[in-house]
C-alpha cells in the first residue's frame, strides 16, 4: 500500500476531508510512504515529494489543480520516470507500482521529513530562481 502524507496546504488543494485520511501512524514498508508539499516557484505551483525513509525526492513543476485520483496518477508516472532515470531495474519499478495498487492519504507524521522538505524547497528555489521551473536542467537538479 502506498501512503501519501500531505501537508495541510496540499490537503486543502485536494479537498481532502478527515474521513479521506488514514491514521498517520499506519505502518508501511520502506519505499511506500511519501511526504508531499505544495510550494511555489516563480509564481507556479509545484509539488515537492520526498520518501519518508530515504528522503529520495523530486519536484513536479507547474502542477495544475488536481483531484486525488489525478494526483495519484501524476505521482506514479513521475516516480516511474525518476526511478528509471536513476538507473533502477525495470522489474523493481514494476514491482513497486504493483505494490502501489492501493493508495491512501494521511497527515504528515515526521518533523524530520518536514524539515527536510523545507530545506529541499529552499534548494529548488535557489537552483531554479533564474531559469524558472521549466528549466531543461531540472532532471539534473533533481539528481
Amino acid at each position: 500500500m502506498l501512503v501519501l502524507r500531505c501537508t495541510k496546504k496540499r490537503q486543502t488543494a485536494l479537498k481532502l476531508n478527515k474521513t479521506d485520511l488514514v491514521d498517520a501512524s499506519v505502518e508501511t514498508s520502506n519505499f511506500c510512504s511519501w511526504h508531499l508539499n505544495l510550494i511555489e516557484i516563480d509564481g507556479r505551483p509545484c509539488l515537492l515529494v520526498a520518501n519518508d525513509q530515504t528522503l529520495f525526492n523530486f519536484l513536479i513543476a507547474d502542477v495544475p489543480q488536481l483531484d486525488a485520483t489525478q494526483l495519484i496518477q501524476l505521482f506514479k508516472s513521475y516516480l516511474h520516470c525518476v526511478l528509471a532515470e536513476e538507473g533502477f531495474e525495470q522489474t523493481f519499478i514494476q514491482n513497486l507500482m504493483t505494490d502501489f495498487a492501493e493508495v491512501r492519504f494521511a497527515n504528515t507524521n515526521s518533523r524530520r521529513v518536514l524539515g527536510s522538505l523545507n530545506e529541499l524547497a529552499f534548494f529548488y528555489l535557489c537552483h531554479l530562481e533564474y531559469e524558472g521551473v521549466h528549466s531543461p536542467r531540472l532532471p539534473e537538479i533533481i539528481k
Side-chain angles (χ1 to χ4, degrees):
M1 172 177 62
L2 171 63
V3 177
L4 300 176
R5 300 180 186 282
C6 300
T7 60
K8 294 294 182 195
K9 190 185 287 190
R10 185 71 248 170
Q11 289 176 24
T12 301
L14 286 172
K15 299 177 180 144
L16 294 174
N17 299 319
K18 286 187 178 187
T19 57
D20 299 323
L21 305 174
V22 295
D23 184 14
S25 62
V26 66
E27 292 292 322
T28 60
S29 62
N30 287 347
F31 223 60
C32 293
S33 183
W34 296 78
H35 273 67
L36 308 170
N37 192 15
L38 188 61
I39 63 172
E40 192 172 292
I41 299 176
D42 196 27
R44 300 185 183 278
C46 300
L47 187 64
L48 180 56
V49 180
N51 179 264
D52 291 3
Q53 297 296 317
T54 64
L55 295 179
F56 180 84
N57 66 86
F58 57 95
L59 183 76
I60 303 174
D62 215 1
V63 177
Q65 185 67 27
L66 301 170
D67 65 24
T69 304
Q70 293 168 324
L71 176 75
I72 292 166
Q73 292 307 314
L74 183 69
F75 170 82
K76 287 180 180 181
S77 66
Y78 266 78
L79 179 61
H80 190 284
C81 292
V82 170
L83 291 175
E85 179 68 26
E86 288 289 331
F88 283 83
E89 296 284 331
Q90 279 299 320
T91 53
F92 171 80
I93 297 170
Q94 291 303 326
N95 290 339
L96 197 59
M97 294 301 146
T98 301
D99 291 344
F100 290 176
E102 183 184 356
V103 181
R104 298 285 185 240
F105 289 95
N107 286 320
T108 57
N109 67 346
S110 171
R111 285 186 184 174
R112 178 186 65 85
V113 177
L114 288 174
S116 296
L117 279 175
N118 288 333
E119 190 172 326
L120 288 166
F122 178 74
F123 171 79
Y124 283 115
L125 283 166
C126 289
H127 278 281
L128 297 171
E129 181 177 14
Y130 299 110
E131 300 174 59
V133 295
H134 297 291
S135 168
R137 288 185 344 104
L138 185 57
E140 176 187 332
I141 292 168
I142 290 171
K143 266 190 168 180

